[in-house]
Coordinates of all heavy atoms in Angstrom, one line a residue:
Chain A
K518 N -15.8 44.5 -15.9 CA -15.3 43.3 -15.2 C -14.0 42.9 -15.7 O -13.1 42.5 -15.0 CB -16.3 42.1 -15.3 CG -15.9 41.0 -14.4 CD -17.0 40.2 -14.0 CE -16.5 39.0 -13.2 NZ -17.1 37.7 -13.5
A519 N -13.7 43.0 -17.0 CA -12.4 42.7 -17.6 C -11.3 43.6 -17.0 O -10.3 43.1 -16.6 CB -12.5 42.9 -19.1
L520 N -11.6 44.9 -16.8 CA -10.6 45.8 -16.2 C -10.5 45.4 -14.7 O -9.4 45.6 -14.2 CB -11.1 47.2 -16.4 CG -10.9 47.8 -17.8 CD1 -11.6 49.1 -18.0 CD2 -9.5 47.8 -18.2
K521 N -11.5 45.0 -14.1 CA -11.4 44.6 -12.7 C -10.5 43.4 -12.5 O -9.6 43.4 -11.6 CB -12.8 44.3 -12.2 CG -12.9 44.3 -10.7 CD -14.3 44.3 -10.2 CE -14.4 44.6 -8.7 NZ -15.7 45.1 -8.4
L522 N -10.7 42.4 -13.4 CA -9.8 41.2 -13.3 C -8.3 41.6 -13.5 O -7.4 41.1 -12.8 CB -10.2 40.3 -14.5 CG -11.5 39.5 -14.3 CD1 -11.9 38.7 -15.5 CD2 -11.4 38.6 -13.1
A523 N -8.1 42.6 -14.4 CA -6.7 43.1 -14.7 C -6.2 43.8 -13.4 O -5.0 43.6 -13.1 CB -6.7 44.0 -15.9
R524 N -7.0 44.6 -12.8 CA -6.6 45.3 -11.6 C -6.2 44.4 -10.5 O -5.3 44.6 -9.7 CB -7.8 46.1 -11.0 CG -7.8 47.6 -11.3 CD -9.2 48.2 -10.9 NE -9.6 49.1 -11.9 CZ -9.2 50.4 -11.9 NH1 -8.5 50.8 -10.9 NH2 -9.6 51.2 -12.8
Q525 N -6.9 43.2 -10.4 CA -6.6 42.3 -9.3 C -5.5 41.3 -9.7 O -5.2 40.5 -8.9 CB -7.9 41.4 -9.1 CG -9.0 42.3 -8.5 CD -10.4 41.6 -8.6 OE1 -10.5 40.6 -9.3 NE2 -11.4 42.0 -7.8
G526 N -5.0 41.5 -10.9 CA -3.9 40.6 -11.3 C -4.3 39.2 -11.6 O -3.5 38.3 -11.4
D527 N -5.5 39.0 -12.0 CA -6.0 37.7 -12.3 C -5.8 37.3 -13.7 O -6.0 36.1 -14.1 CB -7.5 37.6 -12.0 CG -7.8 37.7 -10.5 OD1 -7.0 37.2 -9.7 OD2 -8.9 38.2 -10.1
V528 N -5.4 38.3 -14.6 CA -5.2 38.0 -16.0 C -3.8 38.6 -16.4 O -3.3 39.5 -15.6 CB -6.3 38.5 -16.9 CG1 -7.6 37.7 -16.7 CG2 -6.5 40.0 -16.7
D529 N -3.3 38.2 -17.5 CA -2.0 38.8 -18.0 C -2.1 40.0 -18.8 O -1.2 40.9 -18.9 CB -1.3 37.7 -18.8 CG -1.1 36.4 -18.0 OD1 -0.7 36.5 -16.8 OD2 -1.4 35.3 -18.5
V530 N -3.3 40.2 -19.5 CA -3.4 41.3 -20.4 C -4.9 41.5 -20.6 O -5.7 40.6 -20.4 CB -2.7 41.0 -21.8 CG1 -3.3 39.7 -22.4 CG2 -2.7 42.1 -22.7
V531 N -5.3 42.7 -21.0 CA -6.7 43.1 -21.1 C -7.0 43.8 -22.4 O -6.2 44.6 -22.9 CB -7.1 43.9 -19.9 CG1 -6.4 45.2 -19.8 CG2 -8.6 44.1 -19.9
M532 N -8.1 43.5 -23.1 CA -8.5 44.2 -24.3 C -10.0 44.6 -24.2 O -10.8 43.8 -24.1 CB -8.3 43.3 -25.5 CG -8.6 43.9 -26.8 SD -8.0 42.9 -28.2 CE -9.3 41.8 -28.5
T533 N -10.2 45.9 -24.1 CA -11.5 46.4 -23.9 C -11.9 47.6 -24.8 O -11.1 48.1 -25.6 CB -11.7 46.9 -22.4 OG1 -10.6 47.8 -22.1 CG2 -11.7 45.7 -21.5
H534 N -13.1 48.2 -24.6 CA -13.6 49.3 -25.4 C -14.3 50.3 -24.6 O -15.5 50.5 -24.8 CB -14.4 48.8 -26.6 CG -15.6 48.1 -26.3 ND1 -16.9 48.6 -26.6 CD2 -15.8 46.9 -25.7 CE1 -17.8 47.7 -26.1 NE2 -17.2 46.7 -25.6
A535 N -13.7 50.9 -23.6 CA -14.3 52.0 -22.8 C -13.2 53.0 -22.5 O -12.6 52.9 -21.5 CB -14.9 51.5 -21.6
P536 N -13.0 54.0 -23.4 CA -11.9 54.9 -23.3 C -11.7 55.5 -21.9 O -10.6 55.6 -21.4 CB -12.2 56.0 -24.4 CG -13.0 55.3 -25.4 CD -13.8 54.3 -24.6
A537 N -12.8 56.0 -21.3 CA -12.7 56.7 -20.1 C -12.2 55.7 -19.0 O -11.2 56.1 -18.2 CB -14.0 57.3 -19.7
A538 N -12.8 54.5 -18.9 CA -12.4 53.6 -17.9 C -10.9 53.1 -18.1 O -10.2 52.9 -17.1 CB -13.3 52.4 -17.9
E539 N -10.5 53.0 -19.4 CA -9.2 52.6 -19.7 C -8.2 53.6 -19.3 O -7.1 53.3 -18.7 CB -9.1 52.2 -21.2 CG -9.8 51.0 -21.6 CD -10.2 50.9 -23.0 OE1 -9.7 51.8 -23.8 OE2 -11.0 50.1 -23.4
A540 N -8.5 54.9 -19.5 CA -7.6 56.0 -19.2 C -7.3 55.9 -17.6 O -6.2 56.1 -17.2 CB -8.2 57.3 -19.6
K541 N -8.4 55.7 -16.9 CA -8.3 55.7 -15.4 C -7.4 54.5 -15.0 O -6.6 54.6 -14.1 CB -9.7 55.5 -14.9 CG -9.8 55.9 -13.4 CD -11.3 56.1 -13.0 CE -11.4 55.9 -11.5 NZ -12.4 54.9 -11.2
F542 N -7.6 53.4 -15.7 CA -6.9 52.1 -15.4 C -5.3 52.4 -15.6 O -4.5 51.9 -14.8 CB -7.4 51.1 -16.3 CG -6.7 49.7 -16.3 CD1 -6.8 48.9 -15.2 CD2 -5.9 49.3 -17.3 CE1 -6.2 47.7 -15.1 CE2 -5.2 48.1 -17.3 CZ -5.4 47.3 -16.2
V543 N -5.0 53.1 -16.6 CA -3.6 53.4 -16.9 C -3.1 54.5 -15.9 O -2.0 54.3 -15.3 CB -3.4 53.9 -18.3 CG1 -2.0 54.4 -18.6 CG2 -3.8 52.8 -19.3
E544 N -3.9 55.5 -15.6 CA -3.5 56.6 -14.7 C -3.2 56.1 -13.3 O -2.2 56.5 -12.7 CB -4.6 57.6 -14.6 CG -4.4 58.9 -15.4 CD -5.8 59.6 -15.6 OE1 -6.5 59.7 -14.5 OE2 -6.1 60.0 -16.7
E545 N -4.0 55.1 -12.9 CA -3.8 54.6 -11.5 C -2.6 53.7 -11.4 O -2.3 53.1 -10.4 CB -5.1 53.9 -11.1 CG -6.2 54.9 -10.8 CD -7.5 54.2 -10.5 OE1 -7.6 53.0 -10.5 OE2 -8.5 55.0 -10.3
G546 N -1.9 53.5 -12.5 CA -0.7 52.7 -12.5 C -0.9 51.2 -12.7 O 0.1 50.4 -12.5
Y547 N -2.1 50.7 -13.0 CA -2.3 49.3 -13.2 C -1.9 48.9 -14.6 O -1.3 47.9 -14.8 CB -3.7 48.9 -13.0 CG -4.1 49.0 -11.5 CD1 -4.8 50.1 -11.0 CD2 -3.8 47.9 -10.6 CE1 -5.2 50.2 -9.7 CE2 -4.2 48.0 -9.3 CZ -4.9 49.1 -8.8 OH -5.3 49.2 -7.5
G548 N -2.2 49.8 -15.5 CA -2.0 49.4 -16.9 C -0.8 50.2 -17.5 O -0.5 51.3 -17.1
I549 N -0.1 49.6 -18.5 CA 0.9 50.3 -19.2 C 0.8 50.0 -20.7 O 0.1 49.0 -21.1 CB 2.4 49.9 -18.8 CG1 2.5 48.4 -18.8 CG2 2.7 50.4 -17.4 CD1 4.0 47.9 -18.7
T550 N 1.4 50.8 -21.5 CA 1.4 50.7 -23.0 C 0.0 50.4 -23.6 O -0.2 49.3 -24.2 CB 2.3 49.5 -23.4 OG1 3.3 49.3 -22.4 CG2 3.0 49.8 -24.7
P551 N -0.9 51.3 -23.4 CA -2.2 51.1 -24.1 C -2.1 51.3 -25.6 O -1.4 52.3 -26.0 CB -3.1 52.2 -23.5 CG -2.2 53.2 -23.0 CD -0.9 52.5 -22.6
R552 N -2.6 50.4 -26.4 CA -2.5 50.6 -27.8 C -3.9 50.4 -28.4 O -4.6 49.4 -28.2 CB -1.6 49.5 -28.4 CG -0.1 49.7 -28.1 CD 0.6 48.4 -28.4 NE 2.1 48.7 -28.5 CZ 3.0 47.7 -28.5 NH1 2.6 46.4 -28.5 NH2 4.3 47.9 -28.5
G553 N -4.3 51.4 -29.2 CA -5.5 51.2 -29.9 C -5.3 50.3 -31.1 O -4.5 50.7 -32.0
I554 N -6.0 49.2 -31.1 CA -5.7 48.3 -32.2 C -6.8 48.3 -33.3 O -6.5 48.0 -34.4 CB -5.5 46.8 -31.7 CG1 -6.6 46.4 -30.8 CG2 -4.1 46.7 -31.0 CD1 -6.6 45.0 -30.5
M555 N -8.0 48.6 -32.9 CA -9.1 48.5 -33.9 C -10.3 49.2 -33.3 O -10.4 49.6 -32.2 CB -9.4 47.0 -34.2 CG -9.9 46.3 -32.9 SD -10.3 44.6 -33.2 CE -11.0 44.1 -31.7
E556 N -11.3 49.4 -34.2 CA -12.6 49.9 -33.7 C -13.7 49.2 -34.5 O -13.5 48.8 -35.6 CB -12.7 51.4 -33.8 CG -12.5 52.0 -35.2 CD -12.5 53.5 -35.2 OE1 -12.1 54.1 -34.2 OE2 -13.0 54.1 -36.2

Side-chain angles (χ1 to χ4, degrees):
Chain A
K518 188 152 177 225
L520 288 170
K521 197 168 193 160
L522 289 171
R524 259 172 221 273
Q525 293 164 344
D527 291 329
V528 291
D529 302 312
V530 61
V531 63
M532 184 165 86
T533 50
H534 62 114
E539 288 155 14
K541 199 161 157 240
F542 176 71
V543 173
E544 260 163 44
E545 289 172 359
Y547 290 98
I549 53 166
T550 336
R552 288 167 166 167
I554 49 167
M555 61 184 187
E556 57 182 33

